[in-house]
Amino acid sequence: MAKFKMKVYQLWLLFVLFLPLTNVLCFSELSFITEPSDVTVLPKDPAVLDCQAHGQPPVTIKWLKNGVRLAESEHIQFLPNGSLYLPKIKHTKEDSDEGIYQCLSQNKYGAILSQRSRLTIASIAEFVVHPVPMVVTEGSVARFSCSAASSPPATISWEFNQSTLPLQTDRITILPNGVLQIHNVQLEDAGQYRCVATNIGSRLKSREAALTVNQGVGPKPRQRPRIIAGPQNITVSLHQTVVLECVATGNPWPIISWSRADSKPIDVYNAKVLGNGNLVISDVNSKHSGVYLCRATTPGTRNYTIAAANLTVLVPPSIVERPESQTRPRAGTARFMCQAEGVPPPHISWLKNGEEVHLNGRIKMYNSKLVITQIIPEDDAIYQCIAESEQGSVLSVARLIVVMSEDRPSAPRNVHAETISSSAILLAWERPLYNADKVIAYSIHYMKAEGLNNEEYQVVIGNDTTSYIIDDLEPARNYSFYIVAYMPMGASRMSDQVIQHTLEDVPLRTPELSLTSHSSTDIQVSWQPLPAKVSRGRLSAYRLSYRTAADNTVISVEIPQNSTEYLLEGLQPDTIYLLRMAAATRVGWCEPSAWTSHRTPKTSSSKVPSAPILQLEPLNCTSIVARWQTSPESVPVQGYRLCYHEESQPEQPIIQLQAQTYTYTISGLDPRRKYHVKILAVSQAGDGYQTDQTISTPGCVSARDQPAATPPPPDHVTVLATNSSAVSLHWSRPAFTSGKTVSYTVRCTPVGTHNASAIRYLQTTKQSVMVQDLDSNTRYEFVVRLHVDQMSSPWSSVVYHRTLPAAPSRPPAGVRVTLIEDDTALVSWKEPTEANMVVTHYTILYASQKSWMAGHWQIIQREGSHTMALLEKLELGNVYLVKISASNQVGDGPFSNVVELALKRGNAHRSKNPRHSDSFHDTTVFSDGLYHIDQRSMTGIIVGVSIALACIVMCALILISKGRPRKSSGHKVITVATSEGPHGGLSLPNELHVENAEALIPMISAHFIDAKGGSNMIINGAGPLNSKNQSKRWLLFKREIRNQTESDVERRASLYEAGKTVLRYEEHLGSAPLPPSSREIIYGPLHSESSHTSEGSQETGDSGHYSNEESNEEMSNPSTSQSSRPESFGPDDGTTVAELKQSFQVENEESLCLHHSAPDATRLCCTSGGSHPIQPSSQAVSS
């Protein structure tokens, strides 16, 4: 009931707080129809800045320049529609019309301010860069550059010897940024060059620069590619044109190619290559931002050089969440939300009636949110959110309407707080002294007590309680609380504030480490103190653990809480060390960080550059800015090497940076991930000491200041094999609403790999990709993730696929040929050294030199499990050539290298024993000389193998002889009547005709019982069978060919011959199961209970007894029983075989009754008088 009442009160409160009144419904918001925009004009020309507003009249418009209100005059005129007219633009040092203009619109509800408009006067100030003289060799590259400070940007053209430079040849390229490139310079290119800058305002010429061309002498030596003018980091505004220059030399002339460091495709629609490798991107937007790589490659080789540059596209601010107009009672609270995006991130401020909001204890800004508490009538106004950056400004409007109310309740009394845990505080109070019966709800307000502009939070509860637990607080923080009581038409004053602290907790995480080495035997570990939100209390100590990558022995060191660095000394040079750290408060230790690797430098006599001082800073949720500097006394640096990787992921390719570069932007990262960044300086003496540092990217924030929803992963991922080294991957885009560009990352991993370099990543914008260069007959796992709006989805479900097998690509290894007889040689080899290769057979080719000259080879093939073969009938005095290839089901592999075997004439006996070396002349030539097998050793091997085979045969005969029954009547032979003529027993329903099948069955089995031991009749679960052959020999069982459409009764039916002793048995339900015997383990579950104790046999008389010795004797040879057991009698027969019970009753040529345990089994009774079936009966026939 209390919960129900609280919900009713909350609904009442929301109704009161958010119900627009009548004057609100008729409120016409004040807004702009047209706002002024940027304009560029010439001096003395007229200019018009448009501004039109809409709202409840009267509406007035005023103008501001650089924040100062303008007065109308002869030079400044206000048009009737509100626009500003300047008849003649002034541009002097004393007075200029250049500046920022805004119009202010006002009516009785308030005032609003327009966006900023920049008025610029066209001009060209001066050249910032003039062309400089150059001396080049004929056939090389010449490059001139110039730039001018102008507004609007000037167009650059070039003159040669004070005449317009002709551009008829492809050797000359003028880039949009004003750079002049002359490739394959000729002698006639020598002369004076200068650039001309032109815009709508003026035209300006630069200084001249001479180009001197020296004639080339002799052929050019071969040179590796070298980039002489690489791309530079550039920042441009939206929709501009970008030039990424790349000029390289080398012999032969290198090939220029472009790619992105994040492996995303380059926009082919807006990008083009100008000249001999310059990348020009027109109409740029935010998706073009990133790191671009210029690669100069020597044709036909793997020699290349890479230069990188970061392109940053500035985007004007745009508001993604606009504030909404609100109606609030006096003493209430209003919150205006405003979120904007842009590059760089825009700054957000608030205006009240066109003027900046004055923040105080009652009006505060939390990030970009404006919160007004204890609202008073003066707060009724129009509020504007302004998002502005160097790229422009944008505004959004909302109005606050204050509702007056009388007879308000007094404030809640005696507020006190009590700490419960590290994140919870209990708040309690007493009801207001006046008008407490009119209170419908309470509003609890709380915020952090320390710091400025802390965000205030609010919780609304019903009037049926005067206590509340707030459980979303940060540990080890002081919080302030106050309470407001609400009635239907207003709110009370705020209660007295109380301050209470939360308890400490273990730290959320450990500090991020920075690792450097100042010598080959030390590592300097440094870190930044944890912020209070992460430490969750006062730190008491740090624990640093380290070990080598090859040793699992961990060494730990505890460090005082006020330390921020520690030096590990006495380490091994050129060794990879793994380090991690944990932090503790008085409550306990946090989880240690993941291991971070660092390699100590090699011991070197020459001096190398010291480790750079690295600083990492997140630019946004997907980018990191790296800045570094080297010590002044360091060795001269020729460049830097930077690499980075996500934690627990393989490293990305190394990025080569020039010596003058001290900053780099790493983009295309995932939000909320930890990355390791490494950098070292390179000098002529070698690589310098390395710096390792860790940083975490922040989360991407959505419009409501919450982490944006993660997009779902791709679904319906399928893999189709194309060939043995490639597969085609397809997937479907998940169902989610987003109109932005979607890209995908595919991860391909060999199953069970521990090698990070074997993991491959592919990026694509399509919903399919071809994965190539895979290993044949190898099982891979594939996953796909989606990227949209700087966010990444989880990986899709794993799809496994094995590539198709391929023919062996390598020959057998270790081919050896050894002479073991005068005319016989032994060839041995090893399997090809290929993973997942199944060899089906080997092909051995051998021939004498004469036959080889004639092209005749002798061929021997061996199965894939064999790695030896004999070469027989060799002729003495010849030299034989041998080679081997491996084959599988796909095809044949290459042959091995030819191995020679020379057979000398004369006595070929040989011995490894030096004592017999004088008696036997060694005629064997060994292919590898690694081992020798003489004739005696080979004879011993053959004799041993023969003896072993003889023993195996004798053992088999003994087992067969012991497996035979001791009694002649023990041979149980199954006979199926022939299909000729009518049967003397029971006829089959469909006149089933089968061939005769015979098999010898062991005496005691799960399906056959002979109660007397002398009968020639066998009964199994399918019925009685006749004996046809009484000879004591093993017979082959011929499987019956049955029609699959026959019923179970037809399959189980057997023929009965009169005049035979039959065994009758009944099934007793409810018998307790027994543990499985050895025979059950071999044959499977047994349906017979013939192995029970003699307790059941005593009920049947003497005919029910059987020899336990015989049973054990037969059980001792399970393989014989199993091999002679007919398949049609096994558990796969498809019928439920009736189990033999402890009670056995024998009938002499009287009748036969079979009781099947299956519910649908047929009870069949046969008499000696004929083949007519007897009607089913529930009683057993007595003996």
Side-chain angles (χ1 to χ4, degrees), residues 495-567:
S495 68
D496 295 334
Q497 288 192 5
V498 295
I499 297 178
Q500 187 68 13
H501 69 278
T502 53
L503 300 178
E504 289 187 350
D505 206 338
V506 297
L508 275 177
R509 60 172 176 84
T510 61
E512 293 170 343
L513 302 181
S514 177
L515 308 176
T516 58
S517 291
H518 302 295
S519 69
S520 60
T521 59
D522 65 28
I523 298 177
Q524 178 73 42
V525 185
S526 58
W527 61 91
Q528 294 295 326
L530 289 175
K533 187 175 182 179
V534 177
S535 65
R536 305 206 291 186
R538 185 173 179 270
L539 291 179
S540 59
Y542 296 101
R543 179 186 295 156
L544 177 64
S545 303
Y546 65 97
R547 65 180 178 89
T548 63
D551 189 4
N552 292 329
T553 303
V554 178
I555 303 174
S556 297
V557 179
E558 287 204 9
I559 306 170
Q561 73 275 10
N562 55 356
S563 301
T564 57
E565 61 181 9
Y566 188 81
L567 180 64

Side-chain angles (χ1 to χ4, degrees), residues 811-818 826-830 844-845 867 882-885 895-900 926-931:
V815 179
R816 300 167 180 172
V817 183
T818 304
L826 177 67
V827 183
S828 64
W829 61 89
K830 296 179 182 178
I844 303 102
L845 299 184
T867 56
V882 183
K883 61 181 180 179
I884 307 174
S885 72
F895 279 93
S896 65
N897 294 330
V898 174
V899 178
E900 294 186 0
F926 307 99
S927 60
D928 52 7
L930 295 179
Y931 68 91

Side-chain angles (χ1 to χ4, degrees), residues 95-400:
D95 188 10
S96 175
D97 289 327
E98 275 192 329
I100 302 296
Y101 290 83
Q102 290 176 287
C103 63
L104 180 69
S105 176
Q106 188 173 9
N107 65 2
K108 67 176 184 178
Y109 296 114
I112 57 175
L113 194 64
S114 72
Q115 68 181 14
R116 295 181 176 183
S117 169
R118 182 182 297 275
L119 188 146
T120 305
I121 298 176
S123 64
I124 299 179
E126 60 180 357
F127 277 97
V128 179
V129 177
H130 288 269
V132 296
M134 291 192 66
V135 178
V136 297
T137 306
E138 183 181 7
S140 60
V141 179
R143 177 183 178 274
F144 294 101
S145 63
C146 75
S147 63
S150 63
S151 180
T155 301
I156 303 296
S157 60
W158 286 86
E159 293 183 351
F160 174 59
N161 293 332
Q162 300 184 359
S163 299
T164 302
L165 178 66
L167 301 176
Q168 291 82 3
T169 175
D170 294 337
R171 297 186 303 105
I172 300 177
T173 303
I174 298 179
L175 302 181
N177 61 352
V179 173
L180 172 64
Q181 297 175 353
I182 305 175
H183 294 267
N184 192 17
V185 176
Q186 305 298 320
L187 295 176
E188 57 269 20
D189 293 330
Q192 299 292 328
Y193 290 83
R194 68 180 178 184
C195 64
V196 180
T198 307
N199 68 1
I200 61 174
S202 59
R203 188 169 184 265
L204 192 63
K205 296 182 179 179
S206 70
R207 295 194 295 263
E208 289 187 338
L211 174 62
T212 305
V213 181
N214 296 329
Q215 188 171 3
V217 180
K220 295 182 180 179
R222 190 176 184 87
Q223 294 180 348
R224 292 177 61 88
R226 184 171 64 91
I227 297 177
I228 60 175
Q232 302 297 317
N233 293 340
I234 186 172
T235 300
V236 296
S237 299
L238 204 64
H239 305 304
Q240 289 187 349
T241 298
V242 175
V243 177
L244 296 175
E245 187 179 7
C246 190
V247 180
T249 61
N251 188 25
W253 204 261
I255 299 173
I256 304 296
S257 60
W258 286 91
S259 63
R260 289 180 56 134
D262 54 9
S263 300
K264 293 181 180 179
I266 295 178
D267 186 2
V268 296
Y269 298 102
N270 294 347
K272 64 179 180 179
V273 177
L274 191 61
N276 287 6
N278 307 288
L279 183 65
V280 179
I281 307 175
S282 57
D283 191 21
V284 296
N285 53 48
S286 57
K287 72 178 181 180
H288 293 119
S289 296
V291 178
Y292 288 79
L293 304 177
C294 166
R295 178 168 175 160
T297 307
T298 302
T301 69
R302 295 185 178 180
N303 297 330
Y304 65 89
T305 301
I306 290 181
N310 183 56
L311 169 61
T312 303
V313 179
L314 301 179
V315 181
S318 62
I319 295 180
V320 295
E321 183 181 15
R322 299 180 179 275
E324 297 179 353
S325 297
Q326 302 179 27
T327 299
R328 291 289 182 269
R330 187 174 60 180
T333 300
R335 290 178 173 84
F336 291 104
M337 308 296 295
C338 184
Q339 291 288 338
E341 61 183 16
V343 181
H347 171 71
I348 293 181
S349 58
W350 287 88
L351 300 178
K352 175 184 176 182
N353 289 335
E355 298 180 354
E356 186 176 354
V357 172
H358 297 286
L359 302 178
N360 52 42
R362 200 175 52 82
I363 302 176
K364 295 183 179 181
M365 270 190 63
Y366 305 113
N367 295 327
S368 59
K369 179 168 58 177
L370 179 66
V371 179
I372 306 174
T373 59
Q374 290 297 302
I375 293 175
I376 60 178
E378 288 75 14
D379 295 329
D380 191 318
I382 298 178
Y383 294 85
Q384 284 181 282
C385 166
I386 302 180
E388 54 187 349
S389 70
E390 59 189 54
Q391 294 299 299
S393 64
V394 62
L395 298 92
S396 185
V397 179
R399 186 186 172 195
L400 174 62

Side-chain angles (χ1 to χ4, degrees), residues 446-449 473-474 477-481 498-500:
Y446 61 98
M447 60 186 297
K448 295 175 185 176
L473 308 177
E474 296 180 7
R477 289 295 188 110
N478 288 330
Y479 283 87
S480 64
F481 303 87
V498 295
I499 297 178
Q500 187 68 13

Side-chain angles (χ1 to χ4, degrees), residues 895-915:
F895 279 93
S896 65
N897 294 330
V898 174
V899 178
E900 294 186 0
L901 174 66
L903 275 67
K904 298 181 181 179
R905 296 185 182 275
N907 192 353
H909 294 290
R910 48 189 298 274
S911 173
K912 293 175 65 175
N913 193 336
R915 290 175 296 180

Side-chain angles (χ1 to χ4, degrees), residues 663-834:
T663 181
Y664 185 80
T665 301
I666 303 173
S667 57
L669 308 179
D670 290 336
R672 300 184 184 274
R673 297 288 193 274
K674 183 174 287 188
Y675 287 87
H676 298 277
V677 181
K678 303 179 181 180
I679 189 172
L680 58 84
V682 180
S683 68
Q684 190 172 3
D687 294 347
Y689 294 161
Q690 181 174 279
T691 298
D692 299 336
Q693 194 166 333
T694 306
I695 189 173
S696 297
T697 53
C700 293
V701 180
S702 68
R704 295 193 175 271
D705 199 21
Q706 295 293 332
T710 303
D715 48 19
H716 302 99
V717 181
T718 57
V719 184
L720 181 64
T722 305
N723 52 52
S724 60
S725 62
V727 297
S728 178
L729 205 65
H730 300 266
W731 58 87
S732 300
R733 173 174 172 170
F736 71 100
T737 57
S738 176
K740 299 186 178 182
T741 304
V742 174
S743 61
Y744 302 92
T745 298
V746 177
R747 188 182 71 196
C748 170
T749 308
V751 174
T753 184
H754 296 283
N755 183 13
S757 62
I759 304 174
R760 299 174 56 188
Y761 293 85
L762 295 88
Q763 279 79 27
T764 180
T765 56
K766 301 179 181 178
Q767 293 178 209
S768 63
V769 70
M770 181 73 70
V771 185
Q772 299 178 340
D773 299 329
L774 302 177
D775 295 332
S776 61
N777 197 26
T778 303
R779 195 163 182 250
Y780 286 88
E781 65 175 32
F782 299 91
V783 289
V784 186
R785 78 189 311 180
L786 176 146
H787 308 280
V788 59
D789 193 22
Q790 297 183 345
M791 294 189 304
S792 301
S793 73
W795 291 106
S796 66
S797 300
V798 178
V799 177
Y800 296 95
H801 188 81
R802 182 178 293 276
T803 53
L804 298 176
S809 61
R810 299 179 183 179
V815 179
R816 300 167 180 172
V817 183
T818 304
L819 191 66
I820 59 175
E821 295 289 346
D822 292 345
D823 60 348
T824 304
L826 177 67
V827 183
S828 64
W829 61 89
K830 296 179 182 178
E831 295 181 356
T833 56
E834 291 187 61

